Amino acid sequence: QQTSKELLETKMGTRVKLYEKHLQTVRKALQQTSKELLEIKYGKDPIRAQVTIQFPESMGAPSLSSFTLQLAPPDVMPYSVYYWLTQVDNKLWDGCAFIRNADHVLQASAQDMNGKSLHRRFKHLPYLTESLAFQEYSANYPHEKYTLGIAGRPGGPDFYVSLVNNTRAHGPGGQSSYDLREEADSCFAKIVSGIDVIKRMHTAPRKKDSFQGLVENIGIENIKILR
């Protein structure tokens, strides 16, 4: 016969399993809805976007350069792709900046070249929150070199370009500092041209601290979806 403590633990375990089942249902619904919205808005062809970068004067000419990325297939990472493209469609990233030049990533954040916060603009999108509702991940779209991932827990709005193969470090269980260690960063795109621009960005001076923040932020002039 179970003790009162054992009965409580059994009941709590059952409740946790039911909550997990409900959450999985919500995740699948968000993914299915995102996939359908992507097809309605962008069609079935691969989706690409051009990111125009503004270098600080100290880095010389040219001041503007761009790289092109291709979004993950909608049937693999639908929610993350829809999340990021909605921000781009609403020009939220225009005027923001890359703030970090770490050994393994270049990180973009909701602040301008002077360090002024622009997070407020990310709080007012219809149907979407500032951060991801859940950590979408697929082993079929890992964090390989020159892919883009969404930073943080919950993820977003910050995103980053992987400068090395971060499949293990940013995949499931790779970041043990978070409470849910089994989760992973969402990987949503890969760079298909303009690698030279990324390499130039990686030469920018950085601070001598653990974050490896940029001495001068590198601006995002704009991000445009290529149709």
Side-chain angles (χ1 to χ4, degrees):
Q1 186 176 0
Q2 286 185 312
T3 65
S4 58
K5 181 180 179 181
E6 289 172 337
L7 285 170
L8 179 60
E9 289 176 346
T10 299
K11 185 176 181 179
M12 291 301 295
T14 300
R15 288 175 63 83
V16 168
K17 289 180 181 178
L18 284 172
Y19 278 124
E20 289 176 346
K21 185 177 180 180
H22 293 334
L23 286 172
Q24 186 62 27
T25 299
V26 173
R27 291 188 190 104
K28 288 182 178 179
L30 281 172
Q31 289 178 308
Q32 183 61 35
T33 300
S34 298
K35 181 180 177 182
E36 292 175 3
L37 288 171
L38 286 169
E39 185 173 323
I40 290 170
K41 191 163 188 177
Y42 304 104
K44 295 183 178 181
D45 293 333
I47 307 168
R48 293 192 173 192
Q50 184 180 68
V51 182
T52 300
I53 296 298
Q54 181 181 355
F55 288 95
E57 290 184 10
S58 62
M59 293 190 70
S63 60
L64 296 179
S65 297
S66 64
F67 60 87
T68 302
L69 55 89
Q70 182 167 305
L71 282 298
D75 59 341
V76 178
M77 295 293 291
Y79 174 62
S80 300
V81 169
Y82 181 73
Y83 166 86
W84 192 77
L85 284 178
T86 301
Q87 294 175 344
V88 171
D89 259 339
N90 285 271
K91 303 184 185 303
L92 301 191
W93 283 107
D94 295 6
C96 290
F98 280 84
I99 64 165
R100 185 184 188 194
N101 182 17
D103 295 331
H104 65 305
V105 295
L106 286 165
Q107 183 171 329
S109 186
Q111 55 182 274
D112 64 17
M113 289 185 72
N114 297 315
K116 178 183 177 182
S117 175
L118 299 174
H119 273 90
R120 184 181 296 273
R121 63 167 65 171
F122 286 84
K123 296 180 182 294
H124 303 292
L125 280 179
Y127 314 119
L128 282 177
T129 54
E130 180 181 9
S131 300
L132 292 170
F134 69 97
Q135 297 299 121
E136 184 177 43
Y137 181 77
S138 172
N140 295 321
Y141 208 84
H143 293 273
E144 296 175 343
K145 189 175 183 179
Y146 298 132
T147 56
L148 278 73
I150 299 174
R153 293 289 187 283
D158 287 21
F159 68 90
Y160 58 83
V161 177
S162 283
L163 300 173
V164 299
N165 189 332
N166 283 314
T167 297
R168 183 175 180 180
H170 290 191
Q175 300 185 59
S176 59
S177 60
Y178 294 118
D179 292 332
L180 297 177
R181 298 182 180 184
E182 68 275 14
E183 289 187 333
D185 287 355
S186 298
C187 186
F188 66 93
K190 62 181 178 181
I191 296 174
V192 293
S193 68
I195 299 298
D196 57 317
V197 178
I198 299 300
K199 290 181 177 179
R200 183 184 174 200
M201 292 170 69
H202 193 38
T203 66
R206 62 190 183 190
K207 300 172 184 176
K208 296 180 180 180
D209 55 22
S210 59
F211 185 70
Q212 297 180 310
L214 284 161
V215 174
E216 295 181 282
N217 288 349
I218 297 175
I220 299 173
E221 179 78 4
N222 57 61
I223 303 179
K224 294 182 178 180
I225 298 169
L226 303 177
R227 305 198 184 263

